[in-house]
Amino acid sequence: MSDDPIDSQWLTIHGVSKSFGAFRALDAINLTVRKGEFVCLLGPSGCGKTTLLRIIAGLEVQDSGGVTMGAREIGRLPPALRNYGIVFQSYALFPNLTVAANIGYALRLERADKQRRVDELLDLVGLAGTEQRYPSQLSGGQQQRVALARALATSPSLLLLDEPLSALDAKVRERLQQELRNLQRKLGITTIMVTHDQDEALTIADTVVVMSDGRIEQIGSAEQIYRDPASRFVADFVGRANWLAVARGADSCAMLAGLSLRLPMPHGAESATLFCRPEDVRVETRWDGASAALMAVVDRVDFHGGLRRATLSLCADRAVSIFADVGPNEAAYATLEPGRRVPLTLSPHNTRLFATPAA
């Protein structure tokens, strides 16, 4: 991506709000996208991410605010003048047209030039030789590649993707995620994708924009979003987490089930909620009396693609349940079994204390 100041603020959404009757879909959204960047709008259904994408595309009109692309205000222009390609979840291919005709539909070129461009695009998306087939003769993944080729046909400045892979099965989806990312990097096209799939967003995006209730909760890299969530919502929505109720101890440290964690409580708070990822809960093989370890009982062990995820309950309070991910290179991996008592330690560098929400 370019270091040019204009390119660093190539697409700008400033103060965009949108309501549908009494429902506030977007509330003063501000977002800057660099030229060549791959941005994912991530959030649950109804958070406003698709509405924002449609406003960028001109398919919805904002109530206030604007959209600037390449130093040109486009927020009130019709879709045809905004220079973007778009791919929908439903593919939106013309069933009565061949693959070649679908891809070349928007091209205003001489026949030979159009054919050349279509051939280039088919080769680009790995579908050479399918030009005379119809959409019904293609798999879901192939149809989505055709839709992508059609969106790229006019060499747009911006690519918009509205949950383009959500209808595909897991294997095809994972493969197309990588193909889409590789293609985006090869072309250098600025891309904004809507998804509710956190794994998808964290895998392929340069920047993740987490949305909730019409607002942006956090903007950052995948690692920033996952490792340093800006709010309880982000921490809870992105990835698996432990949420443990703690209280202030006599030493002003957090107490869990009557045991000190040696973590300072938030200033003035008598209670809080401790957040930590399962991979940051370490299962020890033996008790070290000098450590701040918690004794727990292994209740269940599940296999998760190379990791063992243990569900444990604290010996001091069996109602407190904790998840721990243990990798095959860790000493405790081979000894995890239901009923076993094990010490647990929490990394103070990878835990967060959130103030308890007001009742």
Side-chain angles (χ1 to χ4, degrees), residues 290-340:
S291 71
L294 307 165
M295 289 303 298
V297 177
V298 179
D299 296 323
R300 175 174 172 168
V301 180
D302 297 307
F303 185 72
H304 283 263
L307 296 173
R308 286 182 174 174
R309 175 165 292 167
T311 305
L312 310 103
S313 54
L314 294 185
C315 293
D317 185 347
R318 295 296 298 273
V320 178
S321 185
I322 298 179
F323 298 107
D325 285 349
V326 182
N329 296 323
E330 297 180 58
Y333 185 83
T335 62
L336 277 179
E337 57 184 26
R340 187 181 182 93

Side-chain angles (χ1 to χ4, degrees), residues 1-2 10 34-38 85 87 117 120-126 145 147-161 178-191 206:
M1 286 171 282
S2 171
W10 188 74
R34 300 188 302 275
K35 191 170 187 178
E37 188 175 15
F38 196 128
V87 179
R117 179 61 176 157
E120 287 174 358
L121 290 161
L122 283 169
D123 187 58
L124 186 67
V125 299
R145 286 188 179 93
L148 181 59
R150 185 178 62 183
L152 296 170
T154 58
S155 299
S157 297
L158 177 66
L159 179 62
L160 303 176
L161 307 170
Q178 290 305 315
E179 290 180 6
L180 178 60
R181 186 60 173 125
N182 292 339
L183 181 61
Q184 188 271 340
R185 283 176 174 164
K186 179 179 179 179
L187 297 176
I189 186 172
T190 309
T191 301
D206 294 315

Side-chain angles (χ1 to χ4, degrees), residues 182-353:
N182 292 339
L183 181 61
Q184 188 271 340
R185 283 176 174 164
K186 179 179 179 179
L187 297 176
I189 186 172
T190 309
T191 301
I192 301 177
M193 184 169 100
V194 162
T195 183
H196 65 271
D197 185 322
Q198 55 184 274
D199 290 335
E200 185 168 85
L202 297 182
T203 297
I204 66 178
D206 294 315
T207 300
V208 180
V209 179
V210 184
M211 298 183 65
S212 173
D213 296 328
R215 297 182 178 89
I216 292 176
E217 291 277 339
Q218 187 173 359
I219 302 171
S221 68
E223 188 167 356
Q224 288 169 338
I225 296 292
Y226 185 81
R227 278 286 163 209
D228 192 20
S231 66
R232 289 178 66 104
F233 173 84
V234 176
D236 194 36
F237 183 75
V238 178
R240 190 69 179 265
N242 290 296
W243 292 95
L244 307 169
V246 297
R248 178 182 292 274
D251 58 357
S252 295
C253 287
M255 300 284 291
L256 174 63
L259 303 170
S260 177
L261 299 178
R262 303 181 186 175
L263 294 170
M265 285 285 286
H267 180 71
E270 293 301 317
S271 63
T273 306
L274 183 144
F275 155 83
C276 65
R277 301 289 185 192
E279 64 268 24
D280 295 323
V281 178
R282 183 173 177 82
V283 179
E284 308 290 353
T285 54
R286 63 177 183 271
W287 174 266
D288 177 1
S291 71
L294 307 165
M295 289 303 298
V297 177
V298 179
D299 296 323
R300 175 174 172 168
V301 180
D302 297 307
F303 185 72
H304 283 263
L307 296 173
R308 286 182 174 174
R309 175 165 292 167
T311 305
L312 310 103
S313 54
L314 294 185
C315 293
D317 185 347
R318 295 296 298 273
V320 178
S321 185
I322 298 179
F323 298 107
D325 285 349
V326 182
N329 296 323
E330 297 180 58
Y333 185 83
T335 62
L336 277 179
E337 57 184 26
R340 187 181 182 93
R341 287 164 61 95
V342 295
L344 302 178
T345 55
L346 308 179
S347 168
H349 304 294
N350 295 319
T351 57
R352 289 273 299 278
L353 290 174

Side-chain angles (χ1 to χ4, degrees), residues 78-98:
L81 298 180
R82 297 195 183 199
N83 191 22
Y84 67 85
I86 190 166
V87 179
F88 298 100
Q89 177 182 346
S90 61
Y91 315 143
L93 299 176
F94 299 110
N96 59 322
L97 297 183
T98 64

Side-chain angles (χ1 to χ4, degrees), residues 36-83:
E37 188 175 15
F38 196 128
V39 173
C40 273
L41 305 180
L42 173 67
S45 297
C47 72
K49 56 189 185 296
T50 294
T51 300
L52 180 56
L53 190 84
R54 290 176 61 83
I55 285 174
I56 295 170
L59 303 175
E60 295 283 356
V61 179
Q62 67 272 21
D63 299 330
S64 59
V67 181
T68 302
M69 186 167 69
R72 183 173 68 121
E73 176 59 48
I74 63 168
R76 299 294 172 179
L77 293 179
L81 298 180
R82 297 195 183 199
N83 191 22

